[in-house]
Amino acid sequence: GDAKKYSNWLSLYNLSIASTTYSNLLDYIGHLQSKGNASAFINSHLRHLSLYYSYLQLPNIAYNVRLRGVSYASLPLLSAENLDQLYYHFTPKPQGIYRYTDQLLLGLIIYQALDEKDLLRINYEDLNLRSGKLYVPGGLKRKSGRQLPLAAHQIIPFQHYLSTHRQASDLLFYPQCATSSRLHDQFTSLAKQIRTFSVDLGINFICFNQLRQSRFTLWIQSYGLRKAQYLAGFKYVSSMAVYRKQDPSDLIEGVKKYHPLQ
């Protein structure tokens, strides 16, 4: 598969996957482009390589490395009721190191539209349960910091986690947010669990970006474009404007254009 093609290319330069650097990966992307491969194909290739690095427990230099300007197929957006159903019907696995935080993370994806990069930046001190708010620090490029309200039903699970299961760290979620690969592994496992039970609910769950996109569109419907932009953390209103084209009265029918955010 893609990992074998990558390994074969590395061998031409007497490199092993354990010794590769980000610069090597960029050279490989250039190699794929020189062969006339489309950007969407290369991005799919990079996603597989990211999983391969995680599987080998190596520094994941392919994590979130993607070519820009790629057109994606439409994602069917979900209604507010569907999003609630996914949250309330989720049951954590009885075993596993991350079972105490799976539903917390799912809630932050569904109600605050957070992605993996957002979660990696959140510290313990950013959560204020007394006011029911979470501060999400901004990123270096495209994301601004913002103060987000928690839904009422998120408060008690957070209180239970903090008092019973949270490990001491500056991070709100530890150890999974200590490295991007650990958090990515938890996201992958969590998505598999949701796909299993969402079928019984009659919900067409595809990926977490679908949940975030659904929340973005609902925010625009409720608050308007500018406030939705603030809640999403986008520095530029153009990043949010694409969702204004979605008819909020018919979310379940999907969008005509899907815009990648990361």
Side-chain angles (χ1 to χ4, degrees), residues 203-216:
I203 296 175
N204 182 20
F205 170 76
I206 297 174
C207 62
F208 288 134
N209 261 347
Q210 175 193 21
L211 307 186
R212 296 176 59 245
Q213 311 272 343
S214 300
R215 183 58 61 188
F216 293 156

Side-chain angles (χ1 to χ4, degrees), residues 176-230:
Q176 61 266 59
C177 286
T179 66
S180 59
S181 60
R182 283 181 176 178
L183 183 60
H184 184 71
D185 288 344
Q186 184 174 4
F187 264 53
T188 301
S189 173
L190 186 56
K192 289 180 180 178
Q193 295 177 66
I194 296 171
R195 288 191 187 98
T196 299
F197 74 83
S198 63
V199 175
D200 295 332
L201 296 174
I203 296 175
N204 182 20
F205 170 76
I206 297 174
C207 62
F208 288 134
N209 261 347
Q210 175 193 21
L211 307 186
R212 296 176 59 245
Q213 311 272 343
S214 300
R215 183 58 61 188
F216 293 156
T217 309
L218 290 166
W219 279 340
I220 293 174
Q221 175 190 5
S222 298
Y223 307 119
L225 190 61
R226 286 292 181 181
K227 184 170 181 180
Q229 176 194 352
Y230 169 79

Side-chain angles (χ1 to χ4, degrees), residues 11 43 55 107 180 216:
S11 66
N43 282 347
Y55 171 74
S180 59
F216 293 156

Side-chain angles (χ1 to χ4, degrees), residues 25-246:
L25 181 65
L26 294 181
D27 288 340
Y28 182 61
I29 293 172
H31 164 72
L32 294 176
Q33 290 176 316
S34 71
K35 296 294 184 180
N37 292 302
S39 294
F41 172 85
I42 296 174
N43 282 347
S44 175
H45 199 80
L46 290 168
R47 282 191 290 272
H48 294 158
L49 292 183
S50 179
L51 292 174
Y52 189 50
Y53 274 101
S54 294
Y55 171 74
L56 296 176
Q57 297 184 333
L58 294 170
N60 196 344
I61 59 174
Y63 178 73
N64 266 357
V65 176
R66 304 291 184 267
L67 299 181
R68 295 182 179 179
V70 181
S71 297
Y72 290 82
S74 297
L75 282 176
L77 299 189
L78 305 179
S79 66
E81 180 183 0
N82 288 154
L83 294 174
D84 286 339
Q85 286 178 301
L86 291 179
Y87 179 80
Y88 284 117
H89 283 81
F90 177 78
T91 302
K93 291 181 177 180
Q95 297 179 338
I97 187 173
Y98 300 137
R99 66 188 184 277
Y100 302 119
T101 56
D102 275 343
Q103 190 162 33
L104 295 178
L105 295 186
L106 178 60
L108 292 173
I109 296 167
I110 287 177
Y111 297 109
Q112 286 75 38
L114 302 189
D115 60 22
E116 293 180 47
K117 289 184 177 180
D118 290 325
L119 291 164
L120 289 168
R121 291 192 291 266
I122 298 175
N123 288 319
Y124 169 69
E125 63 184 14
D126 294 324
L127 177 66
N128 188 335
L129 290 182
R130 179 168 294 183
S131 64
K133 293 182 179 179
L134 175 70
Y135 176 73
V136 182
L140 294 177
K141 294 182 180 180
R142 302 179 65 182
K143 286 292 190 74
S144 299
R146 67 270 195 202
Q147 193 89 5
L148 299 176
L150 297 173
H153 50 263
Q154 291 178 279
I155 302 295
I156 292 178
F158 261 113
Q159 288 175 334
H160 180 68
Y161 165 66
L162 295 179
S163 64
T164 309
H165 302 298
R166 179 179 174 270
Q167 298 186 36
S169 169
D170 289 337
L171 298 170
L172 178 58
F173 298 108
Y174 181 86
Q176 61 266 59
C177 286
T179 66
S180 59
S181 60
R182 283 181 176 178
L183 183 60
H184 184 71
D185 288 344
Q186 184 174 4
F187 264 53
T188 301
S189 173
L190 186 56
K192 289 180 180 178
Q193 295 177 66
I194 296 171
R195 288 191 187 98
T196 299
F197 74 83
S198 63
V199 175
D200 295 332
L201 296 174
I203 296 175
N204 182 20
F205 170 76
I206 297 174
C207 62
F208 288 134
N209 261 347
Q210 175 193 21
L211 307 186
R212 296 176 59 245
Q213 311 272 343
S214 300
R215 183 58 61 188
F216 293 156
T217 309
L218 290 166
W219 279 340
I220 293 174
Q221 175 190 5
S222 298
Y223 307 119
L225 190 61
R226 286 292 181 181
K227 184 170 181 180
Q229 176 194 352
Y230 169 79
L231 293 172
F234 296 136
K235 291 184 177 179
Y236 308 106
V237 72
S238 59
S239 297
M240 201 72 195
V242 65
Y243 303 105
R244 185 172 51 185
K245 299 177 182 179
Q246 173 63 28

